[in-house]
Amino acid sequence: AGKVLWDDKDSTKFNTNSLISQHIANNHIGGVILFLRPAHDVKTGAFIRDRNIQSPEQVTKLNKELQEYNNQTRQDQNLEPLPLFISIDQEGGRIDRLPAIQGFPVSTLIPQALGANEERFRLLKTPESCDGLFCNAAIDSTYQYANNLAKEIHDLNFNLNFAPVAD
């Protein structure tokens, strides 16, 4: 019926009667993944359910409540304590599940924006032809961006990102 993970007017309170709650309690699933856009039926285009990423506050609260519900359910059922993988596919660039327009702090970059003089970096044939200062600046810039993105994802209570290491 649309909002499968929450049931309040502000879309922030985790719904313990939702389909995902049932899977956590009854099927002991190991993880969930959150997406930004609403889900639609591939064949008909009909709306299936609402998005589950709306704002930093909502996502942080939802992820925390998912983990708490999982922990409490496992404890109530005398199961080993095992946290959920709460994941996202936040690659940056065109794949931006946490957009700045919705209040998320790290703006994603297109691949060409990572590192200084991306075009020059691609022209390098071997590590020996790399200008040490240039290569270090490109690596430092990419590292800083990835570090900021990882911190944002951690602060939102995600513990798994499906970002590519290299494409």
Side-chain angles (χ1 to χ4, degrees):
K3 297 180 178 178
V4 296
L5 296 182
W6 48 78
D7 60 359
D8 67 317
K9 66 181 177 66
D10 297 324
S11 300
T12 59
K13 182 179 177 194
F14 176 60
N15 180 355
T16 57
N17 295 317
S18 68
L19 181 60
I20 199 69
S21 301
Q22 294 169 26
H23 283 301
I24 291 170
N26 301 328
N27 302 328
H28 312 295
I29 62 170
V32 298
I33 184 168
L34 274 59
F35 287 101
L36 174 66
R37 294 196 172 79
H40 294 87
D41 184 282
V42 177
K43 292 181 181 174
T44 67
F47 174 80
I48 297 174
R49 62 183 162 273
D50 203 353
R51 67 184 73 190
N52 49 33
I53 295 176
Q54 295 181 358
S55 70
E57 298 78 21
Q58 174 264 339
V59 169
T60 301
K61 184 176 180 187
L62 175 62
N63 288 347
K64 181 179 182 220
E65 290 178 353
L66 276 166
Q67 201 66 265
E68 288 173 351
Y69 180 77
N70 176 71
N71 293 344
Q72 188 61 53
T73 299
R74 293 187 71 79
Q75 183 178 350
D76 292 348
Q77 295 179 5
N78 294 318
L79 298 171
E80 285 282 326
L82 190 62
L84 277 176
F85 282 116
I86 302 178
S87 60
I88 189 165
D89 183 21
Q90 177 63 356
E91 298 180 20
R94 290 183 311 210
I95 308 300
D96 185 10
R97 313 278 188 223
L98 305 171
I101 196 167
Q102 288 182 237
F104 294 94
V106 176
S107 295
T108 60
L109 300 173
I110 60 173
Q112 291 78 8
L114 290 175
N117 300 316
E118 177 68 21
E119 291 300 317
R120 181 175 166 210
F121 194 67
R122 272 191 254 166
L123 295 173
L124 299 174
K125 304 276 190 235
T126 65
E128 296 80 32
S129 65
C130 184
D131 170 344
L133 293 175
F134 165 72
C135 290
N136 289 339
I139 291 168
D140 288 347
S141 175
T142 303
Y143 175 82
Q144 190 59 47
Y145 172 74
N147 190 52
N148 290 344
L149 184 60
K151 182 177 178 348
E152 176 184 26
I153 289 169
H154 177 267
D155 290 348
L156 293 167
N157 293 322
F158 287 102
N159 55 18
L160 178 61
N161 185 15
F162 291 107
V165 174
D167 275 357

